Amino acid sequence: MPEPLLSVRDLEVSFATDEGVVQAVDGVSFDIGQGEILAVVGESGSGKSVSAMTLMGLTRSPNARFSGSAMYKGEDLISASDERLQDVRGAEIAMIFQDPMSSLNPVQKIGAQIVEQIQAHEALPDAQARERVVELLERVGIPRARERIDSYPFEFSGGMRQRVMIALALSCDPNVLIADEPTTALDVTIQAQILQRIRSLRDETGAAVILVTHDLGVVADIADRVAVMYAGRIVEQGSLDDIFYDPQHPYTWGLLGSITRVDKPRPARLPAIAGLPPSLADRPEGCHFRPRCPHEFAKCTEVPPLEARVEGGQHLDRCWLTVEQKRSDREVLPGEIGLRSKEGAPA
Amino acid sequence: MARFIVRRIGQMLLVLFAVSALTFLIFNVIPGGDPAVRMAGRHPDPGQLARIRAEWGFNDPVYVQYLKTMQKTFTGDLSSYTTNVDVVDELRKRAPRTFALAIGAAIIWMLAATAIGLYTAARAGRFADRSITILALVGISMPVFWVGALMNYYLGFKWGIFPNGGYVPFADDPWEWFYHLIMPWTALSILFIGVYSRVLRSNILDTINEDYVRTARAKGLSERRVMYRHVLRNSLIPIVTLWGLDFGAVLGGGTILTETVFDIQGVGQYAAESIGQLDVPPVLAITLFGSFFIVLLNTVVDILYAAIDPRIRLQ
Amino acid sequence: MATEPATEFALEGPSALQGEPRRRGTAGMGPWRLAFRRLRSNRVAVVFGFVFVVLVAVCLAAPLWADHVAHTDPYKNHLTDTVIVDGEKKDVVTPDGIPIGPTWQGEFFLGADGNGRDTMVRLLYGGRNSLLIGVAAALITTFLSIVVGVLAGFFRGFTDTVLSRTMDVIWAFPVVLLGVALGTALTLSGLQIGPVDISGRSKLIPILIIAIVYVPYMARPIRGQVLSLREKEFVEAARAQGAGSLRIMLSEILPNLSSTVIVFFPLMVANAILLEAALGFLGVGVQPPEASWGTMIGDGVKHILSGPHLAIVPGVMLVVTVLALNIFGDGVRDAFDPRAKIHLEH
Ligand SMILES: Nc1ncnc2c1ncn2[C@@H]1O[C@H](COP(=O)(O)OP(=O)(O)OP(=O)(O)O)[C@@H](O)[C@H]1O
Ligand SMILES: [Mg+2]
C-alpha cells in the first residue's frame, strides 16, 4: 500500500457529562489512501460521527477530551491550531453531515452558502463563484439550478437539501470527503444517484472517501474497505471481501446475518442484534461486546488488540477466538440473524 | 410577499378597530358614574357638563358615542376642559421630543445589549457571565423614574456633569440637544439592556449548537465569520422583532415616566400631567394614538421580519 | 420594569415550560423533586428567596415598630414637634420646610418627610401595601390566565378566537399606558359592576388594573401548553373512559400546568410591584394618605432637593424586593427548565 493520505492513530474522544465520562471514541486507528472508499459501519451511538467530526476539529464541546493523531500530508490534524484547520476544512477535507434538514442555514440562500465556502478558500469574483455553484448544483442533479440558486433551504425537499450539502462538500475539490450517512434520509433512487456522484468524484479527482453508513447494501455497492465500529472501537477492519465473506468478529456476524447465505440478497439495513449496546459511560471491561456475545470465554475480560489474525496481514479484528474457531462457529449459527442473546430471549 | 402584506394590513385594521373600541370602553363605559363629569375634570360646572354631553353624544346610543369620540380625536377637534388647550395641537408640538428620546434610547439599548449578549455568551458560566447576569437583573428591577431621579439629582444637580433635565430642540443647538438627552436615553435604556442582553445571550447559546453552525465551520470559515455571519445574525432575528415591538411601546406611551423625571415636555409628560389633573381628553387621545402607533409598528415589524426570515411568509 | 414585560415573559418564560407533561402517580414526583433539588443547589437563588421572605416579615411587623419603637403611626404629622438626637433638640421639620434626615434611633429612624411623618413607619406600612398589591394582583392574574388559557386551549374554535383576540388587543397597549388609562378612569369615578361598588380610592382598583394588564402575558403560554396537552395520550385515555370536559380540565390539564405557574409567579409578583410603583408615582395607584413604595418615591422625587434620602430609601427597598424576586424566579425557572442550565456548562 502506498503512503496513506490520512492516517489516524489511537484516536480517543471522551465527554465529561453528568452521568460520568462518556468514552465515545476509544482508540480508533485506520489509514485511507487516495481514491479509496472506506465504509464505516456500526450501530447508532458507536462513535462514527464523533470520530469523523473530530478529524476536522468539529467536536467543540468544552467537555470533550481528545488524544491520538490524524496525520494528513505530514501534519497532525488533532493537535493543529484552529486557524490551520480553517484552511483544511472545506478545501482539503470536506464533510457531508448526517442531517440535511438542519445543516443548512435557514435564512441564507443556498447559493450564497456555497459561494461563501468557495470564497473562503479562493479569491474568486462573485460572478465566477456563482457560475461554479450553478455547475455544482447541476452536477449533483438539481434541476433548473440557475433559478434555484437563490432559493432558501426551506424551499427544498430533504433529498434536494442533501444534494446541496453534497454540492457544498464538492465545491473546492476536496482530497478527502467524509460523508456521514449521506443517503439515510433519501429514497432508493435518489440514494443510488447520490452514491453515483460520490463514486464519480472519487474517479474524477482521486479523492479518498470515508463513508459512514448503516446500510450494508450501500457498503457492498461502493466500498473498497470496511471498518466495523462497536462502542467506540473498531472491532474489525478489512477489504470488502474480507468483511463480507470472511468476517472474524461475532459482532460483524450479527451485522451481516448469516454470512454463509451468499446466494440470498443481503439485508439492506443492519439487522437487530439481541441485547442493547453498552452505556458508553459504563462499559464492560475487556471486550465491549462480551455481554451480548454467545462465544464469550475467560480471556474476553482482557481487551483484545486490533490486529491481523487472518493470514495476509490486512484484515484486522478484535476477538480472542482463534481463526479456526470463528470460521466454524459462524457457520453453525442458527437462522438468518447470526446472534441470539445469551439469556435466550430475543429482544 | 404581496399577499402576505395585504393579509397583515387587513389584520392590522381589525386590531386598530378593537383597540379604539377598548380605549373608548375604558374611558366612557367601564367606570361608573357620569362620563361627562369625568371629561370635565376636577371642577365641572353644570353648563359645561351639558355642552360635553351634547358634544360627545353621551345621551345617544353607545355606538354613536364611539363614533363621535373617534371623530373628535382624529379630526383634531378635541380640547381639554381643564386647560382649554387643543389636545391634538399640543401632541403635534410635543411629538418630536418623544421621538428623539425613543429613537436614541432604542439605538443605545440595542447596541449595548448586543455587545453584552455576545460577551456573556462567550463566557457563559464563568464569573464575568454570572456577575453580568446579576447586574442585568438589577437593571430590570429598577423603576426608571427612580434611577432617573437619582441620576438627575447626583449627575445633574449635585455634580453638574450633565444638564439637570430639560430639552433643547435639535435645530437650536445639536450639541446641547445631545448633551441634554444623554441621561434620559441612558435611564430609559437600562431596563431594555437588561432584558435584551439576556435574551440574546440565550439565543446565541442555542444557535451555537445548531447543525448549520457546524456546517459553517466545516466550510473553513474563520471563527469570526462563523460568529458574526451565522451565529449572531440568526440570534438577532427574533430580537429585531422584539426591538420593533418595544420601540413601538416606548413611542406609544413607554416614555411617560422618563419624560416626567427629566422634564422633556414630550407626549409622555403631557400624559402624566393630564393624569395628575385627572384631565381625561388628553389621556384618551394619547392612549388612542399610542396604541395605534404600536399596532402600526407591529405590522411593519412583521412585514420586515418576513423579509428577513423567508420561512415566516409560509405560515 | 413595568414598561414592557412583553419581552421578558414572551421570550424567557414559556420556553421553560414545554417539558414533559407530568403524569400523576408513578413517576409524578420525579421532576418535582429534581427541580427542587436543583433550586436548592442554586445558592444565589436560595439566598435571595430568603431575602424576600425577610422583607415580607419585616413589613408585616410594621405595627410593632410603629407602636413600640417609633411611637407614632404612618399618617400622623409632627410638623411642629421636636426630637432629641444625641442629646440635642432638633425640629422634625425646620421652619423653612427641610425635614430631618435619618436619626438612626427609634423615632424618625430614617428621618421624616415634608409633612413631618416618620419615614421608617411609612416605609414599612407602604411596603405592606406594595407587597399586598403585588401578590394579590399576581394571584388574580394567575387565576384569570389559567381560566382564559385553559378555556381557549381546550375548547379551541370560537372560544379560542374570542379570548385570544381579546388578549391580543390588551397586548397592543403598552403596560404603563393601559394601567394609567384605566387608573385615570377608575380613580375618578370608581367601579360599579352590578351590586359591586368599588370606590376610586380603594386599593382594589390598582390590584385589578395590574391583574388585568398582565393577563395576556401569562395566558398566552398557558394556552399554548394546553393546546399540546390536550393531544396527549393520558387526556385521550381519560376521554375514552368517559370523563367530561370539566373533569379533564381539572384533573388532567390543570396539574400539568403547575410548573408553568410556579415559574411565572415570582416574576409576576416582581412586575406587579413595579407597575404599582409606576402607577403610584403617577398618582393613580394607592391614594393618599396611604402610602406605597411607589408613592413614597414619587413624593421623594418631588422634594429631592430637600433631602435625597426620601427618594433613595423607598427606592432601595423596592429594588431589593424586586431583585430578590427576579433572582429567585430565575432560579426557579432554571430548576424547572434544565435546558437553560445546560447552557451554563457548555
Ligand atoms: N457533546 C457530547 N457530549 C456527550 N456525549 C456525546 C456528545 N457528542 C456525542 N456524544 C455521545 O457519543 C456517542 C457517539 O455518538 P455518535 O454521534 O458518534 O454516534 P454514531 O455512531 O454517529 O450514531 P448514529 O448512527 O446514530 O449517527 C453517543 O453515545 C453520544 O451520545
Ligand atoms: Mg452519526
Side-chain angles (χ1 to χ4, degrees), chain A:
Chain A
M1 197 171 160
E3 172 82 348
L5 188 55
L6 177 67
S7 174
V8 179
R9 285 292 169 273
D10 303 317
L11 183 64
E12 295 197 16
V13 184
S14 61
F15 299 99
T17 67
D18 289 346
E19 282 79 48
V21 176
V22 170
Q23 185 85 41
V25 179
D26 185 3
V28 162
S29 304
F30 62 85
D31 290 333
I32 184 165
Q34 274 212 327
E36 197 173 26
I37 297 183
L38 170 70
V40 180
V41 295
E43 274 170 310
S44 191
S46 53
K48 307 181 297 287
S49 298
V50 171
S51 308
M53 282 190 288
T54 304
L55 295 181
M56 291 179 76
L58 293 175
T59 305
R60 299 183 70 89
S61 161
N63 304 325
R65 296 285 165 272
F66 314 98
S67 64
S69 66
M71 300 305 287
Y72 171 76
K73 290 191 178 167
E75 194 179 356
D76 179 19
L77 299 175
I78 305 298
S79 59
S81 71
D82 208 52
E83 284 73 34
R84 175 68 196 111
L85 284 175
Q86 279 162 23
D87 297 336
V88 174
R89 287 183 204 137
E92 308 206 32
I93 305 180
M95 184 155 175
I96 302 167
F97 291 100
Q98 197 165 350
D99 188 355
M101 300 312 270
S102 57
S103 291
L104 289 165
N105 190 333
V107 298
Q108 230 182 355
K109 293 173 181 169
I110 55 127
Q113 300 194 40
I114 302 177
V115 167
E116 193 180 27
Q117 162 157 321
I118 296 173
Q119 292 185 332
H121 299 290
E122 295 167 44
L124 208 62
D126 289 348
Q128 265 167 276
R130 263 180 83 86
E131 219 32 61
R132 162 117 59 107
V133 172
V134 172
E135 225 170 88
L136 281 161
L137 292 177
E138 274 163 1
R139 192 138 63 100
V140 295
I142 290 181
R144 293 182 294 118
R146 199 168 293 280
E147 295 159 41
R148 308 224 56 184
I149 186 170
D150 287 321
S151 304
Y152 289 93
F154 75 93
E155 297 171 275
F156 279 64
S157 68
M160 283 295 163
R161 276 188 232 189
Q162 189 62 289
R163 290 171 198 224
V164 173
M165 287 302 294
I166 293 168
L168 179 69
L170 303 187
S171 65
C172 295
D173 288 332
N175 295 329
V176 181
L177 176 70
I178 304 174
D180 192 354
E181 306 193 22
T183 57
T184 308
L186 310 179
D187 68 50
V188 185
T189 43
I190 299 170
Q191 183 175 319
Q193 291 169 11
I194 282 173
L195 291 177
Q196 186 50 43
R197 301 285 160 204
I198 291 175
R199 202 175 358 228
S200 57
L201 167 84
R202 186 266 309 265
D203 295 341
E204 287 161 25
T205 68
V209 178
I210 299 175
L211 179 76
V212 176
T213 181
H214 274 156
D215 190 331
L216 292 175
V218 170
V219 175
D221 219 24
I222 195 174
D224 300 316
R225 284 195 309 132
V226 182
V228 180
M229 278 190 80
Y230 185 78
R233 288 180 185 156
I234 293 183
V235 293
E236 185 165 2
Q237 184 183 322
S239 70
L240 185 65
D241 285 353
D242 289 341
I243 301 294
F244 273 77
Y245 296 101
D246 188 22
Q248 294 296 302
H249 198 281
Y251 177 65
T252 315
W253 308 344
L255 288 186
L256 295 170
S258 175
I259 199 63
T260 49
R261 311 297 299 270
V262 284
D263 51 325
K264 281 219 167 180
R266 278 177 295 263
R269 306 278 310 172
L270 297 190
I273 296 176
L276 288 172
S279 148
L280 292 183
D282 180 24
R283 293 173 308 175
E285 250 174 78
C287 171
H288 294 332
F289 190 59
R290 186 158 59 89
R292 294 166 81 187
C293 180
H295 309 282
E296 182 198 2
F297 65 112
K299 191 117 168 86
C300 297
T301 50
E302 283 170 46
V303 180
L306 181 68
E307 58 190 21
R309 291 163 219 261
V310 187
E311 56 291 348
Q314 291 302 321
H315 185 174
L316 317 177
D317 73 86
R318 275 188 199 265
C319 181
W320 287 119
L321 296 172
T322 64
V323 176
E324 293 69 39
Q325 270 173 314
K326 293 169 181 166
R327 283 184 176 150
S328 67
D329 279 355
R330 71 179 189 232
E331 301 287 341
V332 299
L333 282 172
E336 290 284 303
I337 305 299
L339 295 179
R340 294 232 171 265
S341 82
K342 279 193 292 187
E343 291 74 31

